[in-house]
Amino acid sequence: MDLLTALVDKGLRRELPSREEALAVLATSDDDLLDVVAAAGRVRRRWFGRRVKLNYLVNLKSGLCPEDCSYCSQRLGSQAGVLKYTWLKPEEAAAAASAGVAGGAKRVCLVASGRGPTDRDVDRVSQTIAAIKGQNEGVEVCACLGLLSGGQADRLREAGADAYNHNLNTSEGTYGSITTTHTYADRVDTVQQAQAAGLSACSGLIAGMGESDEDLVDVVFGLRELDPDSVPVNFLIPFEGTPLAKEWNLTPQRCLRILAMVRFVCPDVEVRLAGGREVHLRTMQPLALHLANSIFLGDYLTSEGQAGQADLDMIADAGFEVEGADTVTLPEHRAAGVCGTHEGGCGGGGCGEGAACHHGAAGQHTADAEPAAQAVPAARTDLVAVRRRGAGTDLPPNA
């Protein structure tokens, strides 16, 4: 396909595709899917070889969030029945983190529910970072605490945080239909605060919330402009008890096309296969490793993932290797902080990678020709399991 040849050439040169090209990737047929994966896989291998970075989530404070994000099981008014607990003690968080590191994770992602941290919360997280790094030499730590206020990013950086995650989630045009208690601009501002403080920025999206192809392209192009080092791609986990519980819009093929589009738009960025991969990709998860160079090991914030050993077996069986702690994830030009990722200038940002929250979004077809009607996938509620182990429980973590 001329489209794929052009996209590969641009990806190898770190050039931005056109919006029309990005939309065309989402509009490709299932008959062309393996060609799309192979093409995007060439770009992935150019910048990241066959390495897969492992990340591990520690949910520091679960549930009871005052925000109304429709996709979230921890939202205001959620009836999802997820674990609810206040801040873990630093030693508890460090023990959970050590389990992930023992399983092969080189980055620990510290997440807390809520609109954003108070200064006292930043102190708590700073103590937790010290405890984790004291027990695990060389581990990277990413914080995901919500909207930041003045000076908090600097304090986290001084405490030893390497990165900060705050996802854009969906396009600016549809953001108000998903969340009303904060804005898209608030999220952009927090990412920029993290970058200004010298933290590696991590910001991604959620697919499967009923958005259009144009919305997906809009949010990915918005991310490209922000220039985070890491872009997590989450697929909505439709928790019962949330407003989006009936949104089962994704197929494995659709997920692969979305990941390929993200790789073409963000060729030299750490693309992380994040929440919902087990629910929506299912047996096609190994194909996604040809597109994403990073995954989460084990469980997520409020849902259970597949067994950690199954993740490791999948990586090996697919012919990939776990990225070592002594390997720099990003390509040399990004790791050195050298601008040049974008024609016409860089969106800003430091070097490194990041973490992510776990939920998702979908889309409608946009192309010159009308696509063939596709069957709505059957809801797989059996694959949505609320986390009942690990942090905040007496059971060992899945790592």
Side-chain angles (χ1 to χ4, degrees), residues 52-66:
V52 178
K53 180 176 181 178
L54 298 182
N55 309 267
Y56 190 71
L57 279 163
V58 178
N59 194 348
L60 297 178
K61 181 168 79 77
S62 182
L64 305 175
C65 181

Side-chain angles (χ1 to χ4, degrees), residues 19 168-179 183-185 188 211-212 214-220 222:
R19 285 182 52 83
L168 297 187
N169 288 332
T170 192
S171 70
E172 184 174 14
T174 59
Y175 197 85
S177 66
I178 297 299
T179 304
T183 67
Y184 180 92
V188 170
E211 73 288 338
S212 67
E214 288 89 347
D215 290 322
L216 283 171
V217 171
D218 282 349
V219 68
V220 177

Side-chain angles (χ1 to χ4, degrees), residues 77-378:
S78 171
Q79 300 298 314
V82 300
L83 290 171
K84 298 178 178 65
Y85 53 86
T86 190
W87 290 93
L88 297 181
K89 295 181 175 64
E91 59 271 22
E92 294 172 326
S98 293
V101 173
K106 63 183 290 185
R107 168 159 289 191
V108 172
C109 307
L110 303 177
V111 189
S113 64
R115 178 177 177 85
T118 65
D119 288 340
R120 185 182 178 191
D121 294 337
V122 174
D123 289 338
R124 286 191 181 100
V125 175
S126 296
Q127 294 169 18
T128 298
I129 293 170
I132 290 172
K133 293 207 165 189
Q135 294 184 20
N136 302 280
E137 184 178 356
V139 70
E140 301 171 2
V141 174
C142 178
C144 179
L145 311 174
L147 299 171
L148 294 174
S149 55
Q152 290 182 332
D154 293 291
R155 290 178 59 198
L156 289 168
R157 178 65 170 165
E158 291 166 3
D162 300 284
Y164 196 83
N165 163 255
H166 201 60
N167 295 330
L168 297 187
N169 288 332
T170 192
S171 70
E172 184 174 14
T174 59
Y175 197 85
S177 66
I178 297 299
T179 304
T180 67
T181 47
H182 60 268
T183 67
Y184 180 92
D186 291 332
R187 288 187 170 265
V188 170
D189 179 67
T190 284
V191 175
Q192 291 174 334
Q193 284 189 54
Q195 291 172 322
L199 291 166
S200 170
C202 170
S203 188
L205 66 141
I206 298 172
M209 297 188 289
E211 73 288 338
S212 67
D213 281 7
E214 288 89 347
D215 290 322
L216 283 171
V217 171
D218 282 349
V219 68
V220 177
F221 272 61
L223 288 164
R224 168 84 184 223
E225 184 175 355
L226 269 180
D227 194 32
D229 294 313
S230 175
V231 174
V233 180
N234 297 279
F235 301 109
L236 177 71
I237 301 176
F239 278 96
E240 290 295 332
T242 65
L244 299 184
K246 305 304 180 185
E247 293 288 339
W248 288 86
N249 303 306
L250 296 171
T251 63
Q253 295 82 3
R254 172 75 173 167
C255 294
L256 290 170
R257 282 191 284 269
I258 292 168
L259 286 166
M261 186 269 287
V262 174
R263 175 56 72 195
F264 286 130
V265 177
C266 304
D268 60 341
V269 167
E270 178 193 346
V271 175
R272 183 171 306 145
L273 181 57
R277 63 178 166 94
E278 297 91 342
V279 176
H280 295 293
L281 279 161
R282 302 188 287 277
T283 58
M284 294 182 70
Q285 289 181 69
L287 272 180
L289 296 178
H290 292 271
L291 308 170
N293 62 294
S294 179
I295 68 170
F296 282 100
L297 177 71
D299 292 336
Y300 303 102
L301 295 177
T302 60
S303 66
E304 294 185 353
Q306 67 186 24
Q309 187 59 53
D311 289 335
L312 299 176
D313 291 343
M314 176 181 72
I315 292 168
D317 289 348
F320 292 86
E321 60 184 19
V322 173
E323 183 174 290
D326 57 348
T327 301
V328 177
T329 299
L330 294 174
E332 185 177 354
H333 62 273
R334 289 191 69 92
V338 178
C339 185
T341 306
H342 310 86
E343 286 190 324
C346 179
C351 55
E353 310 84 51
C357 298
H358 289 69
H359 319 284
Q364 303 301 318
H365 185 93
T366 24
D368 293 333
E370 282 295 317
Q374 293 189 4
V376 176

